[in-house]
Amino acid sequence: MSSLSSARLRRSIALHLFLTPLALIWLFPLWMMVVFSTMPDNGIFSPGIELLPHGNFLDNFNNLQRDTNFVGAIGISVSVAVTYTFLSVMLTSMAGWALARYQFFGKGVVVGIIFGTITLPYAVVLIPQFIMVARDFQLANTWVALIVPPLFNSLGVLFMRQSFSMMPDDLFDAARVEGVKEWRIFLFVALPLARPMLAALAIILFLASWNNYLWPLLINSQPGSMTAPVALGTLIGLTKVSWGGIMAGAVMLTVPMLIVFVLLQRHFIAGIAAGAVK
């Protein structure tokens, strides 16, 4: 037993010695982003290498807020990302449940079309989508235009379809024998079992909405209703670039993503552990 424990300890030490430099390499650009956010514009491109934060973060943030109303833009991004994540998770879950648990005519064709949409570059559908939303539906500069068009996520549908397909049929059949309605089976039996998959999907969808730049830039031209990435992009001008403000805004955009991941990671790991025990 002691030799086995000693071997595990050696493997653990070797693994940490291998992964620690890789982690530091991955974290170094993030750390430099924090350092640059605390430096004035003329100090960011100084010949020397600065590895420690300075004291100009508040000045950079004040300039950012003055030029873009960044706090308001963050509020819009949070509202859009949370609403989009909730609606898209429910929509993709219902679609995945239908494709995994029901038999209907043309099911194979529908699955094939969904697979096919994954291969399409976003640029292919961007212009037709913009024309339909802005010209035909007259929804430009609205929250509906920001949230609704990207709601159907093909990858999320296939992800949830696979998750529901791996669940035992006997569990749902027993619920049907007891007279439980289909929508209650979906809400109170299937979704709780899919909690780790839902957490992973929510993380992916939230980050996709939070980092989305091109679609909000096209569909929303009003300065007072820009999302945070679009507002941050306005600091890049033809003759002047506010690098300090950009770095300060990038730090503020990164923190919510880390918070969302840390909060949902606990549920993600707990769900996987519970599934492994079962």
Side-chain angles (χ1 to χ4, degrees), residues 101-134:
R101 290 296 168 180
Y102 298 127
Q103 299 297 328
F104 53 89
F105 178 77
K107 176 180 175 180
V109 176
V110 172
V111 175
I113 292 175
I114 294 175
F115 269 110
T117 58
I118 297 178
T119 64
L120 291 176
Y122 182 59
V124 174
V125 300
L126 182 63
I127 299 304
Q129 180 176 283
F130 173 78
I131 293 174
M132 181 178 63
V133 173

Side-chain angles (χ1 to χ4, degrees), residues 47-264:
I49 300 177
E50 298 287 345
L51 297 178
L52 297 177
H54 291 238
N56 288 83
F57 181 83
L58 290 180
D59 293 336
N60 291 333
F61 174 75
N62 290 333
N63 294 333
L64 174 66
Q65 177 65 19
R66 181 195 62 210
D67 296 335
T68 65
N69 186 23
F70 197 66
V71 173
I74 286 182
I76 294 173
S77 288
V78 170
S79 302
V80 170
V82 170
T83 305
Y84 166 79
T85 301
F86 175 77
L87 294 177
S88 187
V89 166
M90 292 304 300
L91 180 64
T92 53
S93 298
M94 289 187 289
W97 171 259
L99 292 175
R101 290 296 168 180
Y102 298 127
Q103 299 297 328
F104 53 89
F105 178 77
K107 176 180 175 180
V109 176
V110 172
V111 175
I113 292 175
I114 294 175
F115 269 110
T117 58
I118 297 178
T119 64
L120 291 176
Y122 182 59
V124 174
V125 300
L126 182 63
I127 299 304
Q129 180 176 283
F130 173 78
I131 293 174
M132 181 178 63
V133 173
R135 187 191 66 185
D136 299 337
F137 294 157
Q138 300 292 319
L139 292 175
N141 299 312
T142 64
W143 281 41
V144 175
L146 288 175
I147 297 173
V148 173
L151 273 183
F152 187 82
N153 186 279
S154 301
L155 184 61
V157 172
L158 298 175
F159 183 73
M160 294 309 300
R161 171 180 174 266
Q162 183 63 26
S163 301
F164 290 132
S165 298
M166 294 187 299
M167 296 179 182
D169 295 332
D170 296 340
L171 182 64
F172 305 118
D173 292 338
R176 293 187 181 98
V177 170
E178 294 295 330
V180 181
K181 296 184 181 298
E182 289 294 324
W183 68 271
R184 293 182 63 88
I185 294 175
F186 171 70
L187 288 178
F188 301 110
V189 179
L191 288 185
L193 290 176
R195 185 178 62 179
M197 287 71 77
L198 290 174
L201 181 60
I203 292 174
I204 295 171
L205 293 177
F206 183 89
L207 295 183
S209 177
W210 184 259
N211 292 322
N212 193 7
Y213 176 78
L214 186 55
W215 176 248
L217 176 67
L218 289 177
I219 202 63
N220 197 341
S221 60
Q222 295 180 354
S225 56
M226 291 180 178
T227 59
V230 176
L232 201 60
T234 60
L235 294 179
I236 301 177
L238 295 177
T239 59
K240 178 183 177 183
V241 179
S242 178
W243 292 111
I246 291 175
M247 292 295 105
V251 170
M252 296 187 66
L253 288 179
T254 304
V255 170
M257 293 190 292
L258 296 177
I259 292 175
V260 168
F261 179 78
V262 169
L263 291 178
L264 292 182

Side-chain angles (χ1 to χ4, degrees), residues 32-48:
M32 292 307 301
M33 177 182 67
V34 174
V35 173
F36 289 153
S37 70
T38 63
M39 299 174 62
D41 289 345
N42 56 3
I44 293 178
F45 296 99
S46 60

